[in-house]
Amino acid sequence: MSLRERLAAGGFAVTAEISPPRGAGLQQITATAALLKDWVDAVNVTDNQGSHVRLASWAGSLAVIGAGLEPVMQMTCRDRNRIALQSDLLGACALGIRNVLVMTGDHPKFGDHPGAKPVFDLDSIQLLWTLRTMRDQHRLLSGRRLDPAPDCFLGAVENPFAPPAAFRAERLGKKVAAGAEFVQTQFVFDVPAFARWMGQVRDLGLPGRCAILPGVGAVRSRRALDFMRDQVPGVYVPDDVYRRLAGVPPDRAAAEGITLAAETVKQLAAIPGVAGVHLLVAGNEQAVPAILDQAGLTAARGSDGC
Amino acid sequence: MTARPPEPVREPVPVHPRLGARVAYRLQRALRPNPGYRWLAARIEASSRARTAFTRAERETKQALFGCRMCGQCALPVTGYVCPMGCPKELRNGPCGGVGADGSCEVYPDRRCVWVDAYERAASAGRTADLRLLHRPADNRRWGASSWLNYWQGRDEQLWTSDAGAGPGAGP
């Protein structure tokens, strides 16, 4: 069952994240995909995340398909103009990649090439709108006709916690209007704040039009926790969560991070309108089975009819 | 008019407007396109000297008030009169996900996110519905041109829409 089919059937979907290698090899990504295959419905392949150069998302996505798992190709607006973005979508769809996750992307200033020219020719909403028009109206942004049209399942991201808080549900509404059919959120450490945002999302009638998958991560160490809280734009770690994770001895930090993630998954699954979870575990993919096991989501996924 | 040539701001940097939201919205009513402005814009465009002088006046005014970078397709009327082209990612449809908890820009942490500003100013005037409009991709050929002339001539009518079904292309 594909991610699109599972969400359409109202099933609880699980996605995770793979970071492609800094190198011209596919061995590592193939092995990670094989590890995750029976646990998740699909896996995101990041697009030079944090503005650090990595193997291209479309190439990583092909490796994931080769390993028997469904990829979600991430596509940022940071590095390509409207010509390249449309061309890449056509190429990816022609190669069998179906799920495309659109985001604005981190600013190059935060990456390993801080002097790079930031492109941002389109924003994430304009890109979603363009891709949906390509698929549904068989037209490029220019108006020229396409044949055959790409068949894609369009995803977006949202940060429920970032200011202006009163606008965040509306912003998701704009993405849904532009074409988003599923959304994965930034790390959720503050479940009550997420639940308040979900209330606004339900008031706008979005869950019936767009599947909402909150992001959950497993923090591995005190260092990772501090980095996430202080260095990653848009991640908010409430004080009680910080104290809980920082309060355990170093040798138990990873286990506590997994336990917290599993608890968070269970709490989020109980919120009306939540269609699944997105495990933000790039670089820590081996934590996925433990998180899902502790959360009671052990049903094998990849094997049920791929 | 000053003799000093205009200095275009190259890099997008968030700018807090120097003009209050209430005054800005009042000016919006006064400057709304009408046959008189359309006639005036056509006259100005007919003379390259008049167009240059007018464009320079627009540049100086909007640079001082809003940090305008002269994209030539002004979104200010529907963004709380905060320029979205000051966003380091030039986002015209709303904020990115990296806004700091205190409302700061992720790229310039000592400055406020233009969209946090825009939301507050639009809310203060009961205009938050403006922020739901979908902005089409900018036309990069228009940089440096007067957006007031475009606005009065009706060339800006397709910049944004409330109807996503219309498609993101700018039309002809």
Side-chain angles (χ1 to χ4, degrees):
Chain A
M1 191 184 278
S2 69
L3 176 65
R4 174 159 35 183
E5 287 162 353
R6 183 175 298 278
L7 290 170
F12 192 82
V14 180
T15 56
E17 184 178 74
I18 291 185
S19 159
R22 191 184 308 111
L26 293 170
Q27 203 179 349
Q28 175 209 336
I29 197 166
T30 303
T32 310
L35 167 84
L36 295 175
K37 183 163 100 73
D38 294 332
W39 291 91
V40 300
D41 292 295
V43 71
N44 288 31
V45 182
T46 55
D47 176 12
N48 300 297
Q49 84 274 20
S51 307
H52 294 275
V53 172
R54 302 254 178 181
L55 179 132
S57 183
W58 65 267
S61 295
L62 281 189
V64 167
I65 292 175
L69 182 58
E70 195 179 314
V72 177
M73 183 181 79
Q74 296 195 179
M75 209 176 198
T76 74
C77 299
R78 178 191 56 229
D79 308 316
R80 287 161 288 181
N81 68 10
R82 60 193 80 179
I83 298 172
L85 288 166
Q86 293 180 91
S87 164
D88 279 3
L89 180 87
L90 294 177
C93 287
L95 290 167
I97 296 164
R98 290 286 167 265
N99 310 312
V100 179
L101 187 84
V102 169
M103 58 183 74
T104 303
D106 292 307
H107 196 276
K109 185 188 146 181
F110 299 104
D112 55 5
H113 295 73
K117 181 173 180 134
V119 179
F120 302 114
D121 184 32
L122 302 184
D123 63 33
S124 56
I125 289 169
Q126 292 160 349
L127 180 55
L128 281 164
W129 199 5
T130 299
L131 301 186
R132 191 195 62 190
T133 304
M134 290 169 73
R135 183 190 65 197
D136 295 350
Q137 295 174 16
H138 301 202
R139 288 192 186 280
L140 294 170
L141 183 54
S142 65
R144 291 188 84 170
R145 281 196 73 81
L146 286 170
D147 184 33
D151 174 23
C152 48
F153 185 48
L154 296 174
V157 297
E158 186 49 272
N159 186 342
F161 312 107
F167 185 61
R168 287 292 162 179
E170 297 265 18
R171 181 172 180 260
L172 178 60
K174 287 182 80 163
K175 292 189 172 186
V176 174
E181 297 160 288
F182 69 99
V183 61
Q184 296 170 329
T185 78
Q186 183 55 279
F187 283 94
V188 177
F189 287 108
D190 188 343
V191 177
F194 177 81
R196 285 195 294 278
W197 177 76
M198 269 309 290
Q200 297 167 10
V201 168
R202 287 195 302 272
D203 289 345
L204 293 173
L206 302 178
R209 300 158 62 199
C210 175
I212 293 157
L213 285 74
V216 179
V219 181
R220 265 184 297 183
S221 63
R222 176 69 181 268
R223 219 180 105 231
L225 178 66
D226 287 340
F227 177 77
M228 202 171 286
R229 186 184 67 166
D230 303 330
Q231 306 288 324
V232 183
V235 175
Y236 304 100
V237 183
D239 289 343
D240 57 329
V241 171
Y242 184 84
R243 278 196 299 273
R244 173 176 167 178
L245 291 170
V248 295
D251 59 320
R252 281 190 24 231
E256 187 64 18
I258 286 171
T259 302
L260 176 73
E263 286 172 15
T264 308
V265 169
K266 281 198 271 190
Q267 290 165 1
L268 292 170
I271 296 173
V274 169
V277 287
H278 175 51
L279 300 175
L280 289 152
V281 288
N284 185 22
E285 295 89 353
Q286 63 279 7
V288 166
I291 296 170
L292 294 175
D293 204 29
Q294 286 190 34
L297 290 167
T298 44
R301 286 166 179 277
S303 57
D304 63 358
C306 259
Chain B
M1 185 165 293
T2 63
R4 187 172 55 87
E7 292 161 29
V9 182
R10 273 183 52 84
E11 297 305 317
V13 174
V15 172
H16 180 76
R18 289 191 185 86
L19 191 66
R22 280 182 57 169
V23 184
Y25 282 115
R26 208 169 286 162
L27 273 173
Q28 182 179 39
R29 281 195 291 275
L31 293 171
R32 198 164 279 163
N34 63 35
Y37 285 136
R38 183 179 273 257
W39 173 84
L40 180 66
R43 290 293 303 268
I44 293 168
E45 288 192 330
S47 145
S48 74
R49 277 185 60 185
R51 184 202 276 257
T52 305
F54 185 85
T55 305
R56 177 181 296 180
E58 175 178 342
R59 181 195 299 263
E60 302 236 337
T61 311
K62 283 167 68 182
Q63 216 170 62
L65 294 176
F66 306 107
C68 173
R69 297 172 57 231
M70 293 298 280
C71 71
Q73 44 220 302
C74 194
L76 287 171
V78 291
T79 58
Y81 283 91
V82 182
C83 179
M85 301 311 265
C87 163
K89 300 176 184 175
E90 298 181 350
L91 300 182
R92 291 172 76 94
N93 273 298
C96 76
V99 184
D102 58 354
S104 58
C105 171
E106 71 167 18
V107 180
Y108 296 97
D110 56 331
R111 289 174 181 261
R112 286 195 100 203
C113 164
V114 295
W115 284 101
V116 172
D117 254 356
Y119 187 85
E120 280 174 9
R121 285 164 60 98
S124 76
R127 296 280 298 261
T128 51
D130 289 349
L131 305 184
R132 278 181 231 141
L133 293 164
L134 293 165
H135 289 249
R136 293 193 166 86
D139 182 337
N140 285 290
R141 293 169 297 187
R142 285 215 202 166
W143 282 88
S146 160
S147 69
W148 284 345
L149 295 175
N150 286 333
Y151 176 60
W152 286 333
Q153 294 275 43
R155 294 186 205 111
D156 279 0
E157 285 163 10
Q158 297 299 310
L159 289 183
W160 51 78
T161 177
S162 57
D163 173 22

